[in-house]
Amino acid sequence: MKIPQSRMKTFLFTIVLIINSVSFCFANNSNLKTDSSKTRTISFKLKLKSADQVAIKAAALKFNKHLAYSFTVDDGYRSTYLTAFPLFKGGKISGPTISEWKNDQGGDGTTSKGLFYSDGLGNKIPFKLGLAINGAAIGDSPVNRGHLSWAEVKEMYNAGWDVLNHGFHHATKHGTNFLTEVTENTASIQQNLGFTMSHFVVPGGESDPGYQLEYERDALANGSFSVASYVGAGPVIDVKEKINLDKMIYARTFIQSSKDTVGFKTMDRFLATFDSVAKLQNPVWYNAFTHGVGNQNLWSLSMRFPDFKYYMTAIANKYGSEGNDSVWMAPW
């Protein structure tokens, strides 16, 4: 935009932005009942104090961040509520808690000050994760249950956490009705939480070869915009150019604790990967996941809470509001 020198240096002008936005279970809007894909027009005024040439363009990522990090905890284990949730928002982390599976899903019992990034305007936002859940496993019993309750899922959802479709029963074996798994879980979340999910995460387990292709097909044909699977885009996605999120199939980095419990060598290796992603020249979207985050490595497919705390705190200190503030903990 060129401004004639004869004009005043202070002036007003109006810009109209046409934003094609796709909403993916944005949990920070508790009034959102269904996901939508629509065109929106936003008008605003800027008051400038210079006659210099001005260029305006949309940021590649929300808050003009360099790295969008989508981290999912699969299967809806209660350790997420007992440890990760208070670690991020601030508050009392659960002490050791033995579940129905004789596994410790608790944490270290400390009080967290929270882990944050900012909106670029000085407002701190707590880290958030995505919950990939199976509706059939969510409930209030037994007392020492290993899965989340609906009340706990709702509390995290209302706090801005994402909720993703992981199949109603987490079924993968021969004879699974994949379509029913997708649609029954959608109905379950609609009935208990009041919104429609728009993203599917393929469950893992004993299965026939190529079963994930069945899940991908049925999820995309029945309301899902995208699917997390074994092969696809990512886990690092360059977002310098516009990304087509419709019918996207993507892969994630699996982060888990090792048998080595001395120090945090395994987490340091995962953090080194994170650092390499954060140093890429273009803005990027990075996807990762785990399962439980309690004191023990649940099913040997999880992160022990000390590892999880070390990993996420290191990211917050370096890339969150206490560091260079370049990360956005992005929901799908």
Side-chain angles (χ1 to χ4, degrees):
M1 179 193 318
K2 293 186 177 180
I3 310 299
Q5 293 296 324
S6 59
R7 294 180 59 182
M8 296 176 60
K9 288 187 176 182
T10 301
F11 60 93
L12 295 176
F13 65 95
T14 301
I15 300 170
V16 177
L17 294 180
I18 306 297
I19 300 178
N20 292 313
S21 62
V22 179
S23 299
F24 287 106
C25 285
F26 280 175
N28 56 351
N29 183 354
S30 59
N31 295 321
L32 186 65
K33 296 301 180 183
T34 58
D35 295 325
S36 62
S37 177
K38 61 180 66 176
T39 298
R40 298 173 183 173
T41 302
I42 300 174
S43 301
F44 57 91
K45 292 182 177 180
L46 298 179
K47 185 176 182 180
L48 304 183
K49 295 183 179 181
S50 171
D52 294 340
Q53 183 171 326
V54 176
I56 297 177
K57 62 180 180 179
L61 292 170
K62 190 174 183 179
F63 306 127
N64 199 28
K65 300 298 187 180
H66 184 74
L67 171 60
Y69 192 34
S70 295
F71 194 105
T72 308
V73 278
D74 289 1
D75 301 346
Y77 295 125
R78 195 170 183 229
S79 57
T80 307
Y81 181 81
L82 296 175
T83 66
F85 189 46
L87 172 67
F88 286 176
K89 71 182 181 67
K92 180 71 172 180
I93 297 168
S94 170
T97 304
I98 305 302
S99 75
E100 59 189 296
W101 307 310
K102 310 302 180 185
N103 186 286
D104 187 354
Q105 290 214 54
D108 58 13
T110 62
T111 298
S112 172
K113 295 181 179 179
L115 303 181
F116 305 93
Y117 64 95
S118 89
D119 62 1
L121 299 174
N123 301 305
K124 290 185 176 181
I125 304 172
F127 276 28
K128 302 175 182 70
L129 304 182
L131 301 169
I133 64 175
N134 318 105
I138 306 300
D140 295 324
S141 59
V143 175
N144 62 333
R145 57 193 157 78
H147 285 103
L148 296 164
S149 68
W150 287 115
E152 290 166 345
V153 174
K154 186 174 183 179
E155 184 179 350
M156 288 189 281
Y157 173 75
N158 288 339
W161 286 48
D162 217 5
V163 177
L164 314 174
N165 192 339
H166 201 37
F168 189 58
H169 296 99
H170 200 283
T172 59
K173 293 183 179 180
H174 180 77
T176 294
N177 187 321
F178 302 105
L179 175 59
T180 299
E181 282 293 306
V182 172
T183 57
E184 283 193 359
N185 208 38
T186 299
S188 177
I189 273 62
Q190 178 64 56
Q191 178 182 351
N192 288 281
L193 298 178
F195 71 95
T196 301
M197 296 176 294
S198 60
H199 171 72
F200 189 85
V201 177
V202 174
E206 180 184 335
S207 59
D208 294 332
Y211 85 102
Q212 75 276 10
L213 303 178
E214 302 282 335
Y215 263 132
E216 292 169 10
R217 179 199 63 200
D218 289 340
L220 292 175
N222 289 276
S224 295
F225 288 107
S226 57
V227 177
S229 192
Y230 296 109
V231 178
V236 180
I237 300 172
D238 189 325
V239 296
K240 183 179 181 181
E241 305 297 334
K242 184 177 180 180
I243 303 298
N244 182 9
L245 300 174
D246 187 35
K247 300 189 184 304
M248 174 186 250
I249 298 175
Y250 74 101
R252 304 174 294 171
T253 295
F254 181 23
I255 299 182
Q256 64 181 132
S257 294
S258 68
K259 294 181 180 179
D260 180 11
T261 59
V262 180
F264 297 100
K265 293 180 180 178
T266 299
M267 292 303 107
D268 283 337
R269 287 194 290 271
F270 284 117
L271 286 169
T273 299
F274 190 97
D275 288 339
S276 66
V277 172
K279 292 176 181 177
L280 292 173
Q281 181 177 0
N282 293 333
V284 293
W285 179 18
Y286 183 36
N287 297 279
F289 78 104
T290 195
H291 295 91
V293 288
N295 282 328
Q296 289 179 262
N297 187 348
L298 185 63
W299 317 137
S300 298
L301 293 169
S302 304
M303 295 175 73
R304 286 185 292 269
F305 177 68
D307 286 338
F308 179 80
K309 182 178 181 179
Y310 176 84
Y311 178 81
M312 288 297 178
T313 301
I315 291 174
N317 288 342
K318 192 169 184 178
Y319 301 104
S321 58
E322 298 300 316
N324 64 16
D325 204 24
S326 62
V327 72
W328 165 33
M329 295 298 288
W332 260 89

